[in-house]
Every structure is written in C-alpha cells, then in structure tokens.
Amino acid sequence: MANVTITIDGKNITVPSDLSILEAAKKLDIEIPALCYDPELEIVAACRLCVVEIEGSNKLQTSCSTRVKEGMNINTKSERVVKARKDVLQLLLDSHPNDCLTCQKSGECYLQKYAYDYGLKFREHNGAMRPELLDTSSPYILKDNAKCILCGKCVRTCAQVSDRKVLSFAERGYDTKIVCDADQTMEESSCVSCNRCVTVCPVGALVDKRLLGKIRSWEGTSKVVSCKSCQYGCEFEVKSKDINNVAVVARPPANGRPLCLKGRLNTELLYVDNPEEPYRKIGGKFVETSWEKALGLTEVIEKLEKLGKKYPPSK
Amino acid sequence: MLTLDKLQQIKKEHRPVLEARLREAGNVDIHEDGSIVLNGDYYKKQVRIALKNCGIINPGSIEDYISVDGYSAFANLLFNKSRADIIEDMTASNLRGRGGAGFPTGRKWAEAFKYDDDQKYMICNADEGDPGAFMDRSILENDPHCVLEGMAIGGYAVGATQGFIYVRAEYPIAVKRLKIAIEQAKELGILGKNILGTGFDFDIELRLGSGAFVCGEGTALIESIEGKRGMPRTKIHRTAHKGLWQKPTIINNVETYANVPVIFQRGVDWFRSIGTEKSPGTKVFALVGKVEKAGLVEVPMGMPLREIVYDIGGGVQNGKAFKAVQTGGPSGGCIPAELIDTPVDFESLAKIGSIMGSGGMVVMDENTCMVDIARFFLDFTVEESCGKCVPCREGTKRMLELLDKVVEGNGEEGDIERMVSLADTITSASLCGLGQTASNPVTTTIHYFRNEYEAHIKDHKCPAGSCAALLEYFITDKCIGCGKCAKACPVSCISGKLKERHVIDQEQCIKCGACMEACPPKVSAVIKR
C-alpha cells in the first residue's frame, strides 16, 4: 500500500493511503468525536459528529468515511466544524431524556462525554421527544428506545453473526427506531441475549440488566478475563466492589468472536460471588432456571456421578 | 434473428400506418424532414426532445416507436461505433443529468467504462417523487421504448449487460407499459442475447419502489434493489466504480435516458446548438400551481422564467399578481418576482439559491404565504427523511417545529436566526442530497421574503392573508346592520343591533369565514386583515 503525506491541524504525517482521516488523526493523538464509528463495523457515516474541514472542499466531510489523499490539509477543530458538531450534539440532546443521574451508562456514555467536551446541556423545549418505549421483557438486556440515538451500531454488530440479525431499523424520519425482528419484544423475538448490541451501544439505550443497580462505571475495579466455554475466548470484565465480584460484563466482540449467553453465564457463575438466578428462553418466554440447566450441565453431572461410581476420580 | 434490414423494413411498412392514423386524429404536424410535432399554441415555444414522441406514438406498439426512428441509433452504434467513441460523443454532447444534480452523463459513463469487471449494471432511476412532478411518468407512460433504447446504448458503451428500471409502484400504468415494452423488445431481439447478431447481450428488469422518496437518491436506490432498507450509503467509492452489489453501476434518470437516442440520431452538434453552452439541450418542467395553463413543458435550457410562466403557461390564474416560482421540488428554492428574467439552466438557478432539480415548477400568486410554502415543503422532507443521519432526522424536525410556531403566530424574536443557523448545519453536515438540500425552501424564502417572516413574528400578521391563525375578520363601517353575518356565525360571536354596525368578538372568533360569505356582495363590509 502506497503512503501519503497529509497535514492534520498543522501537523504532518505519512500514513498508508487506505486509512481514513479519523484513523490517521488517531496516529497523531488527535481525537475526533464519533458515535456511529467502530473499527470492527461497517462504516455508515450516520452520526455526522466526526466531520472535518478539508482544504479545497466546500462541504464538511465525515472523517470516518473519507480516505486520506496525498497533500490533504485537514482541520479537525475549525470554527465551522465545532459549530456543526455542537449542533449535532444539541439535536441529539434535545431528543434525549435527562436521566444521567440514574442512567446505568453514566460515566461511560459517549453522548454525555461529548456534551461535556463541547459544553452542551439539556434544554427545555415544547417540541417532540422520542416516545418512551422501554422494553423490560428480557432479564438480560434493557432496551430503552427513548435514549437511542440511532447510530445503528447494534444493528450492524447483530448482523455480523449470520444466524442472528435480530435488530433492524423500522419506521423513518424522526419516528425511526430500532426493533427486534418484526417489532417484537426482546422476549418474543429471536434474540439470543448474546449482548453484542449492549457492548457497542454508545449510550444507555441497550444496557446489561444484570448490572443494574450493582455498580457504577467509575466505582470499584475491574479485571478482564477470557471465557473458557469455547475456542473463541470472548472477553469479559469482572466488576468488583468492596472486595466482592458483583457482575460480569461482556467486552465488545473482536476478531470474529461471537459472544454468547452461555459463555457469559458460565463466566458469571465462575467469577461473581453472589450470582442472580439465570433465565432460559423457552417457547418465546423467559423462565427462571437452575444453573445446571442454564449451562446445559444436568446430563453431564448425572453422567459424571454415574461414572464416578465406577471410576473414582484420580487425586 | 433481427437484422438491420428487418428493422428498416418494419419502419418502412409501419410508417404510413402511423402517419395515416395521426392525420386522422389531426393533432400533429408532420414535417418534411420526417419529424412529427404536436400542434397548438401550447407547443409553439417548446422544443421537445425527451417528450418528442409523447402524445404521438402508441406506447404499446414497438412498431410505432420504430417508425419514428426508434432503435435506429442503438442499431447503428452497435455496428458502426466503438464503445470509447460513444462515450466520447456522450461527453462532447455535455448532456447533464436530468434528475436534478446535472452531473455530466458522459463523465459518469467514462468512469464505469474505465473499470474492468465481470459484471456492470445500468440503472434507470424512475422513482420520481417530488410533489407535483410528473415528467418521468409522462415519458414512461407514453414512450417507454426510448428509455429502453437509452439504457441499451449506455449498457453497450460501458460494458453492462444487465439493466434495472427502479420505478415507483404508485405508477401502475408506467409499470404496465414498461413491462409490455420490455416484452416486445425481447421478442423482437432488441433486448436479450446476441442483439442483432453482434454478440452484445443486454437485458432489462423492473424493480418496484414502495413509496420512499429517499429511494430516488442513487445509493439508497441501490440498497433498495439489493433488498435492504432504503438508506443512502456514505460514498467511499463512486457508484460508477462500486455500486449495485459492489459492481460498476450507472444510474441515470428517465429523462436523461430519453435524450440519449436522439443525441445519437441527430448528432452532438445539433444537440449542442440547443440550450446554453454549459447546459445544452432541453429540460422538461412540470408547470403547476397558480398558473393559467398547467402542464408539462419542454424548453431549451436558458429560457427565461418569464417566457415559461407567461408565454407558455399563460400567466397567473385569475389575473392575480405573480409573487414567486418554486423550482426543484422540495429541495428547491423560491424565486421572487424581481428575478423572473433569470434564465433557467443549472448555473443560473444555483446562483440565486435554487436548483434545477427534477423539474418541478410551482407558480405562486399574491395570496401564497411564503412562510407557509416553506413549511409545506419542509413537512414533506421531514416525512420522507430516512432517519439515518442526525442533521436530517433531528434537524429538519426542529426546523419544522420552528416554522409551525411562526405560522401559528407564536414566533419569537430570534427564530429567523435560529432557522438560518440550523439550516447551515443541516446543509453542511447531512449525509445525502435530501438532507443537504432540505433547507433550501426555508433559506431562499428567508432570503427573498424576510419581511413576511418578520410580519408573522413581530406583527402577528400574515401579509398574504393565508395563515388562519394570524387572520382577523373585521366588520368595517360599510356595515348596514342586516344581521346576516350574525346569523351565519357558528359560534355566535357577532353582535350588533339591527341597522347598526356589527362587531366580531375576536376572542371567540374561530376564523371560519362564514361571516364574510354571508355579507351581501354589494355591501362587503367583512374583511380579512
């Protein structure tokens, strides 16, 4: 791949020509805000927050989707760029519920972070707000459409596993929303609670329900562990507070890792000191179940017990 | 198999049949050079290229089309011109995209021609969705074969073997006639495998859109053909490079394709002799609104608006004053009376803040409120935004809320500035053309009719007398006290003694206008103000 030399905010850098401006900027430690961008997902340029100004171009360009070109002179912080970003963020805030005090995502929410960075606040207005459509049907995922900023990351990550593709966009314009299958609840839908969507959601629209009320993002400590259920080795964070491990949270899937409920429950059982009861989806209904059944161990244990009589385990 | 001779023979045999039929109908003039044009004053100032066969041939007959030199350009090119030469001619003709943006067709084709790929596609964008626009519909319904021929020529030039016509399902007659036309062309051997024995294959299929305006945007249209939700793609690559199923793809509008066969029949020089240097040829407009003679008009580019509105359209209805004309549909702008001598071509319209667009042309008279018009068009875009990008989805919604506020008389100081600032962000930060142009009706009306906005906000008045919330019905001293208005008032808010001047209680009035209608015409004491 050929290299090109470009200038970003007055700094020169030589990078491979297949890089986006956003990726090149990262190499210079220049942070460009972005809500819909994820290096693991298809580029859609939907949030428009990562716009930059390129010399010689009248329009603002999204840095996630624009490739670098020899001699490009890019300004990531011009007055025009900052104004556009502020407007975009304010538009998102104007439709977003003011719930940062108790929102589970607080502290790791990107909307919150960027609002802070650009000095923006919620404001009172008489205009439309997203309707409150809280889906509480799943014991694993809380889906709050009112908080959704429609970046579509959940849809894209869900579609990466071919037999899932549960989430999609529905309706259009301001009424656009993310739905499960044919606008069903998480419980009725074919969702397998893998939590891929939860890991990529930049705001509090999709949160891990088993985390609710247990720990806030800035509290306690966390440790990354790998799941041992299968060869993919998906990563989880074990969250600890006051010497207790209180929750296990899936990390964003990378390198083709699928994430799954079973792996997460397995990790939860292994690491969490006081795990909540697990649930299984049977015929479109979530039912509380035993750990043996949730992890599919009933028959294994029976068999081991049976074998244990014949072959006492070696010490 | 179809041969050139056979094609000639069909023309020779069928042409007299067509001419005899037309002579009997009597609505056309048949010229010595073989051209057939509709007669009547409405058509005198028009130059018809895209619409040249509309209203003349039977759209259900391929023989009719062949009789008016149809498919002769395609056949001729297949035998006598190299692909590179066709593209060179196309570029030289400077035919610009008639869908609205005006991108040179030749350059688009050259781009797709350049890439070597096992499959390339030609797409015809027939998802005409602007309110009040019906140019493409007319061509599809009245002359479907010219679109097929244009696509086939393009397909041959760039090396595509498959074409798709993306037509909205709300055009059932167009769909039906296109189906028949494709069937006929295949049967005759104009489409299909080994066309005219040259080894060139070209097939065309229909894809029906389901009423999403945004699917007229090229990349959203491609997504829709691929079976996905119609949302525009971010353009990392041009569609001529990676389009439908990531293959080189040409998307042209119906009217653009309709121009292609004629350009090759009559030559590049002929085509460039019509219109202006930078915008050669003609453009079809749907002339609608408060104009005396509404309809489709095709005129040379560069014709002043005045000639279109007055000489062809017969001026404003009921002798009222001309106020503005809106061009380019919901993405276009309002052009005020003082600019009525602007020539209609891509550059001139852009200079005054409007666009050519697909060719909507809405004439407005003195009773049209410009704020309300801006609100009307924005309401359409809000409804049709796909919801993908934030500035369009959220921004246009907030803009509409501001306009609603102004129209309802609740506008505040600073609302105009808020709209201008928001429009700037929506325009510069939106993903696709729909969002980038959505604010045009608002910005142009603020630019040219700022006083109307100010009247709504500061004086709570609608100068055009159109916004109900800002109107006041008032009884002048001409009142003879007959009491008819009081009787007609459905909310009984008119009081007054017999033979004395009556008064309307403005607090109670629901502004229905019944009093004005009830007042005897000779008296006319009730006015709107």
Side-chain angles (χ1 to χ4, degrees):
Chain A
M1 186 55 67
N3 282 333
V4 293
T5 302
I6 56 167
T7 312
I8 308 180
D9 296 345
K11 291 180 201 160
N12 291 330
I13 188 171
T14 303
V15 292
S17 63
D18 63 343
L19 246 53
S20 66
I21 293 172
L22 193 141
E23 288 167 319
K26 203 172 263 175
K27 288 193 188 291
L28 281 170
D29 287 328
I30 294 171
E31 195 206 344
I32 298 177
L35 287 165
C36 70
Y37 169 78
D38 188 322
E40 293 292 322
L41 301 173
E42 186 198 338
I43 304 290
V44 292
C47 75
R48 315 306 285 177
L49 206 55
C50 72
V51 286
V52 293
E53 213 169 344
I54 302 170
E55 201 180 80
S57 168
N58 282 331
K59 288 183 192 166
L60 297 176
Q61 305 286 346
T62 41
S63 58
C64 67
S65 66
T66 310
R67 296 243 174 109
V68 291
K69 259 195 207 137
E70 183 60 45
M72 242 183 199
N73 190 359
I74 300 144
N75 193 336
T76 74
K77 294 182 180 71
S78 74
E79 205 181 311
R80 207 171 150 217
V81 165
V82 171
K83 190 229 172 209
R85 285 187 194 153
K86 279 185 161 180
D87 278 3
V88 165
L89 283 168
Q90 190 67 59
L91 285 169
L92 288 172
L93 288 176
D94 284 349
S95 288
H96 197 87
N98 182 352
D99 184 34
C100 299
L101 290 181
T102 52
C103 180
Q104 185 64 42
K105 198 73 181 183
S106 190
E108 46 186 5
C109 167
Y110 278 89
L111 186 58
Q112 192 185 40
K113 170 183 154 53
Y114 294 140
Y116 179 86
D117 291 350
Y118 285 85
L120 299 166
K121 294 180 194 310
F122 286 112
R123 56 182 185 189
E124 301 247 321
H125 62 84
N126 303 323
M129 294 283 287
R130 297 244 127 63
E132 279 181 39
L133 286 169
L134 195 62
D135 183 348
T136 55
S137 66
S138 162
Y140 295 114
I141 301 171
L142 182 68
K143 180 164 170 276
D144 187 351
N145 274 7
K147 287 181 183 165
C148 179
I149 56 162
L150 297 162
C151 67
K153 278 161 96 169
C154 53
V155 176
R156 281 174 279 155
T157 197
C158 190
Q160 277 182 342
V161 183
S162 60
D163 57 353
R164 292 182 194 167
K165 289 189 177 162
V166 180
L167 294 171
S168 65
F169 286 95
E171 307 292 343
R172 67 183 181 207
Y174 193 78
D175 301 328
T176 308
K177 58 180 181 176
I178 304 291
V179 298
C180 301
D181 294 332
D183 204 358
Q184 284 155 311
T185 63
M186 295 218 108
E187 184 174 45
E188 293 158 347
S189 76
S190 57
C191 170
V192 292
S193 312
C194 71
N195 276 20
R196 288 175 72 90
C197 54
V198 173
T199 67
V200 296
C201 182
V203 294
L206 288 158
V207 296
D208 187 333
K209 219 172 170 183
R210 285 164 92 83
L211 194 60
L212 285 186
K214 296 214 175 89
I215 187 168
R216 309 214 70 183
S217 63
W218 55 84
E219 286 179 318
T221 55
S222 73
K223 185 177 84 175
V224 176
V225 297
S226 289
C227 172
K228 296 175 188 72
S229 299
C230 78
Q231 74 275 21
Y232 280 111
C234 299
E235 289 179 344
F236 292 90
E237 261 177 64
V238 180
K239 300 260 184 192
S240 318
K241 190 179 172 186
D242 308 331
I243 67 159
N244 282 327
N245 290 343
V246 292
V248 152
V249 180
R251 301 242 299 165
N255 306 321
R257 287 175 183 147
L259 278 184
C260 71
L261 174 62
K262 199 169 161 186
R264 192 170 75 250
L265 286 180
N266 204 5
T267 316
E268 206 178 296
L269 182 65
L270 284 179
Y271 289 96
V272 173
D273 289 315
N274 220 343
E276 281 177 49
E277 285 308 306
Y279 288 78
R280 279 200 300 162
K281 203 192 250 186
I282 301 166
K285 288 268 171 231
F286 277 111
V287 251
E288 202 179 306
T289 185
S290 67
W291 281 101
E292 291 87 336
K293 276 190 179 158
L295 299 176
L297 294 175
T298 323
E299 284 162 8
V300 178
I301 292 168
E302 273 173 20
K303 182 79 184 238
L304 282 174
E305 278 169 357
K306 206 164 129 193
L307 292 176
K309 285 176 190 160
K310 283 185 190 166
Y311 306 101
S314 55
K315 291 274 160 88
Chain B
M1 192 176 65
L2 184 68
T3 59
L4 273 182
D5 286 344
K6 208 169 153 192
L7 208 58
Q8 282 293 333
Q9 203 192 332
I10 295 174
K11 187 185 164 184
K12 222 168 114 189
E13 281 172 11
H14 194 76
R15 175 84 186 192
V17 181
L18 174 71
E19 288 192 9
R21 197 181 72 218
L22 290 172
R23 283 209 175 86
E24 198 175 325
N27 61 337
V28 300
D29 294 330
I30 302 171
H31 295 293
E32 268 177 31
D33 64 353
S35 60
I36 307 173
V37 293
L38 290 164
N39 55 30
D41 283 350
Y42 195 63
Y43 304 103
K44 261 186 196 147
K45 272 214 158 184
Q46 299 195 32
V47 176
R48 294 199 151 197
I49 298 177
L51 299 176
K52 77 181 181 91
N53 299 327
C54 293
I56 293 171
I57 63 167
N58 170 4
S61 157
I62 193 168
E63 290 83 9
D64 262 23
Y65 183 66
I66 293 170
S67 303
V68 290
D69 293 327
Y71 291 118
S72 64
F74 177 46
N76 187 27
L77 293 174
L78 277 181
F79 286 100
N80 301 323
K81 263 218 166 118
S82 71
R83 297 183 154 160
D85 284 347
I86 297 175
I87 288 170
E88 203 171 294
D89 279 359
M90 206 61 222
T91 311
S93 79
N94 199 16
L95 170 66
R96 299 178 60 175
R98 299 297 196 242
F103 191 81
T105 309
R107 257 172 62 197
K108 215 184 241 186
W109 288 13
E111 176 101 5
F113 176 68
K114 186 170 87 180
Y115 297 106
D116 205 18
D117 213 315
D118 58 342
Q119 180 71 62
K120 297 180 190 179
Y121 296 103
M122 292 303 282
I123 296 176
C124 173
N125 185 345
D127 194 47
E128 184 172 57
D130 287 9
F134 46 97
M135 296 75 58
D136 296 349
R137 174 179 180 173
S138 186
I139 296 171
L140 296 170
E141 289 184 359
N142 295 302
D143 193 11
H145 283 287
C146 78
V147 179
L148 305 187
E149 186 177 0
M151 288 179 76
I153 293 172
Y156 173 66
V158 306
T161 54
Q162 178 66 53
F164 292 100
I165 301 177
Y166 189 88
V167 54
R168 57 196 309 225
E170 295 93 327
Y171 281 179
I173 297 172
V175 171
K176 194 173 127 194
R177 293 191 179 161
L178 278 169
K179 274 186 188 160
I180 294 170
I182 293 171
E183 203 54 47
Q184 288 172 342
K186 278 188 184 169
E187 205 173 299
L188 195 66
I190 282 286
L191 291 179
K193 297 254 178 250
N194 192 18
I195 297 167
L196 291 160
T198 56
F200 174 60
D201 303 337
F202 192 70
D203 197 5
I204 296 176
E205 286 177 32
L206 294 187
R207 289 289 181 275
L208 301 196
S210 307
F213 177 70
V214 75
C215 285
E217 198 278 345
T219 55
L221 187 152
I222 287 177
E223 290 275 300
S224 178
I225 292 185
E226 288 182 6
K228 300 176 196 152
R229 178 183 161 93
M231 294 203 289
R233 291 178 184 170
T234 179
K235 279 188 183 161
I236 298 171
H237 304 281
R238 284 218 171 108
T239 49
H241 179 197
K242 287 183 181 179
L244 187 58
W245 291 297
Q246 298 299 311
K247 299 291 183 188
T249 303
I250 294 294
I251 303 185
N252 285 137
N253 164 265
V254 171
E255 194 185 329
T256 312
Y257 281 127
N259 272 281
V260 172
V262 194
I263 290 174
F264 287 103
Q265 272 168 34
R266 318 258 322 238
V268 171
D269 292 339
W270 169 82
F271 184 74
R272 294 209 59 147
S273 72
I274 301 162
T276 66
E277 172 68 24
K278 283 186 173 164
S279 308
T282 58
K283 177 77 192 86
V284 185
F285 293 99
L287 186 62
V288 295
K290 305 281 178 64
V291 65
E292 204 54 57
K293 286 181 268 178
L296 282 186
V297 297
E298 182 169 358
V299 294
M301 296 263 196
M303 182 182 270
L305 262 174
R306 182 189 296 277
E307 280 185 44
I308 302 176
V309 175
Y310 284 93
D311 298 355
I312 299 175
V316 182
Q317 277 174 4
N318 306 324
K320 287 199 176 158
F322 172 86
K323 184 174 196 176
V325 61
Q326 209 272 357
T327 69
S331 326
C334 285
I335 302 168
E338 61 261 31
L339 292 174
I340 195 176
D341 289 308
T342 307
V344 180
D345 58 63
F346 290 103
E347 278 73 25
S348 308
L349 287 180
K351 230 179 268 168
I352 55 172
S354 188
I355 57 164
M356 180 78 86
S358 61
M361 200 173 263
V362 188
V363 176
M364 296 157 193
D365 68 12
E366 55 195 299
N367 298 121
T368 315
C369 169
M370 300 316 280
V371 186
D372 193 44
I373 276 294
R375 199 196 61 82
F376 168 81
F377 281 110
L378 199 70
D379 188 43
F380 178 83
T381 352
V382 167
E383 192 73 19
E384 294 296 340
S385 164
C386 77
K388 180 172 177 174
C389 78
V390 181
C392 179
R393 181 186 70 230
E394 313 275 334
T396 58
K397 178 84 177 173
R398 298 301 170 206
M399 180 88 94
L400 183 62
E401 286 174 354
L402 281 169
L403 283 167
D404 279 338
K405 214 172 104 183
V406 173
V407 168
E408 281 156 18
N410 302 320
E412 291 168 82
E413 187 80 35
D415 277 349
I416 299 180
E417 289 70 26
R418 270 187 278 278
M419 282 190 264
V420 171
S421 165
L422 189 54
D424 174 52
T425 297
I426 297 171
T427 306
S428 61
S430 286
L431 171 64
C432 82
L434 187 140
Q436 286 162 12
T437 58
S439 309
N440 279 351
V442 183
T443 47
T444 53
T445 47
I446 290 180
H447 184 75
Y448 293 117
F449 300 94
R450 197 183 175 103
N451 55 340
E452 283 199 33
Y453 280 84
E454 281 167 355
H456 281 75
I457 296 168
K458 290 183 187 149
D459 312 332
H460 298 279
K461 290 277 176 238
C462 172
S466 146
C467 296
L470 295 173
L471 285 179
E472 185 182 83
Y473 285 88
F474 181 75
I475 300 174
T476 63
D477 54 9
K478 284 203 251 169
C479 178
I480 53 166
C482 69
K484 281 186 177 159
C485 55
K487 262 186 211 152
C489 179
V491 290
S492 306
C493 73
I494 301 177
S495 57
K497 285 181 187 157
L498 211 61
K499 294 193 176 172
E500 275 177 33
R501 182 177 168 184
H502 282 47
V503 182
I504 301 172
D505 180 352
Q506 299 297 343
E507 293 284 302
Q508 303 292 320
C509 176
I510 57 163
K511 293 159 187 169
C512 66
C515 49
M516 202 170 177
E517 274 178 38
C519 187
K522 274 188 194 163
V523 181
S524 295
V526 183
I527 58 160
K528 256 198 307 196
R529 63 175 194 185

